[in-house]
Amino acid sequence: MFLLLLLVMLLLAINYQNNLMFATTFLLGSLFVVAILHTYANLSGIRINFIRGHACFVGEQAAFDLTLTASGTRQYESIQLRLAEGDGRAIDLLEQRQLNLSLYQHTHHRGPLQAGALLIETFYPLGLFRAWTWLQVDLQTMVYPRPVAGGSLPDLVGSGSGEQTQERLGENSGGEEFAGLEQYQPGMSLKRVAWKNYARGQGMHAKHYVELSDIRRWLNWQLWPELGTEARLSRLTWWVLQLHRMEEEYGLLLPGLEITPNRGEVHRIQVLEALACFALNAESDSGTAEKKP
């Protein structure tokens, strides 16, 4: 359209022999050529470093950190950056020669997420031209299942397995495990009296029995059998966040995976990553098998 406008102006200038129209046409033509160089130079020499990706939950936007550095003393204006499946952002590199920024990408599925290609473009200075390029972003992050509230905390006690449940036990009176001797009190059953100790002259004592139980929290895959895979993972994710907030110890039991109860940020990330990656390989293999003839 701009070139067509110049052609019309040139024809009119020739037809009317108007020097002012000639000057305006040639001036705009010169700007057209010079704008090519300036638009290209507005991207040339920028260095982009990919820093890190930030984990998020399904439905949120995953953030990826980048650093842009200007070369030499050149100033860069109106540079637009956008990930393939995200929103764009415009930045300038004027007095500030280095800029840290975050770009966001929409998430739809749990599991590892590779950042999409980065589009960097500019229309500077006149908007007549577009200089652009696609860059492959070497960043990855983890998308956790969407947390959905449900269940109750009492349902999560004492669900551990085998050896793990013996590491931290609580005692309840009335069991069958011998816990020691206590001073005999009137009214106690004579069956509990430690007669051997009494015969040795050590006084009247009664045997104390307790019931051992696991007092740690276990997030067990079998807690909600009526739910599907994604619904269970969402509920387990919600309880991970709740128990972490309350600073309680908790463990995770999934088919083929057991994470020992613990607390802290590192443990929270370990459990959430296990939930995010659960059965992904099996689903991938199943999908590949279905595509084969």
Side-chain angles (χ1 to χ4, degrees), residues 30-208:
S30 300
L31 290 176
F32 182 85
V33 175
V34 172
I36 297 176
L37 303 177
H38 280 277
T39 303
Y40 169 79
N42 199 47
L43 286 187
S44 178
I46 294 179
R47 186 170 68 251
I48 301 177
N49 294 325
F50 305 122
I51 308 301
R52 69 179 67 85
H54 298 275
C56 67
F57 298 93
V58 173
E60 298 179 344
Q61 295 193 81
F64 297 94
D65 295 340
L66 293 78
T67 298
L68 272 68
T69 305
S71 63
T73 58
R74 180 182 297 169
Q75 294 185 335
Y76 299 88
E77 299 184 49
S78 188
I79 298 173
Q80 301 179 28
L81 301 100
R82 178 175 61 84
L83 291 175
E85 297 184 8
D87 300 326
R89 179 175 177 181
I91 59 101
D92 297 318
L93 288 171
L94 302 176
E95 291 81 7
Q96 187 178 6
R97 309 308 294 164
Q98 187 176 80
L99 180 65
N100 299 320
L101 72 154
S102 297
L103 296 179
Y104 297 89
Q105 181 171 318
H106 301 289
T107 61
H108 308 286
H109 306 284
R110 61 182 174 86
L113 174 67
Q114 180 68 38
L118 172 66
L119 172 64
I120 176 171
E121 61 182 351
T122 182
F123 297 89
Y124 177 86
L126 301 179
L128 294 176
F129 298 96
R130 170 178 176 255
W132 58 274
T133 187
W134 287 94
L135 299 176
Q136 185 59 46
V137 181
D138 186 21
L139 288 178
Q140 181 174 298
T141 188
M142 187 66 67
V143 180
Y144 305 138
R146 186 199 309 270
V148 176
S152 58
L153 282 175
D155 297 337
L156 307 179
V157 180
S159 302
S161 65
E163 300 176 358
Q164 299 295 345
T165 58
Q166 302 301 321
E167 295 180 1
R168 186 180 174 192
L169 302 174
E171 298 181 354
N172 297 318
S173 299
E176 298 180 354
E177 294 290 335
F178 177 71
L181 299 176
E182 60 180 346
Q183 189 67 36
Y184 177 81
Q185 301 292 335
M188 289 183 174
S189 173
L190 294 178
K191 295 181 180 181
R192 294 176 51 192
V193 175
W195 295 111
K196 291 183 180 180
N197 296 74
Y198 180 74
R200 297 192 191 103
Q202 297 177 355
M204 196 77 164
H205 292 85
K207 298 177 182 178
H208 181 57

Side-chain angles (χ1 to χ4, degrees), residues 187-249:
M188 289 183 174
S189 173
L190 294 178
K191 295 181 180 181
R192 294 176 51 192
V193 175
W195 295 111
K196 291 183 180 180
N197 296 74
Y198 180 74
R200 297 192 191 103
Q202 297 177 355
M204 196 77 164
H205 292 85
K207 298 177 182 178
H208 181 57
Y209 294 92
V210 298
E211 179 183 3
L212 299 180
S213 62
D214 188 2
I215 62 174
R216 299 168 302 177
R217 303 288 186 181
W218 282 91
L219 297 172
N220 196 326
W221 176 258
Q222 303 299 334
L223 288 174
W224 303 285
E226 72 279 4
L227 300 179
T229 298
E230 296 303 322
R232 290 197 204 189
L233 293 175
S234 294
R235 185 165 293 184
L236 289 170
T237 300
W238 188 82
W239 278 117
V240 169
L241 300 179
Q242 297 303 308
L243 294 173
H244 174 74
R245 180 178 58 83
M246 293 184 290
E247 299 184 352
E248 292 193 28
E249 287 191 14

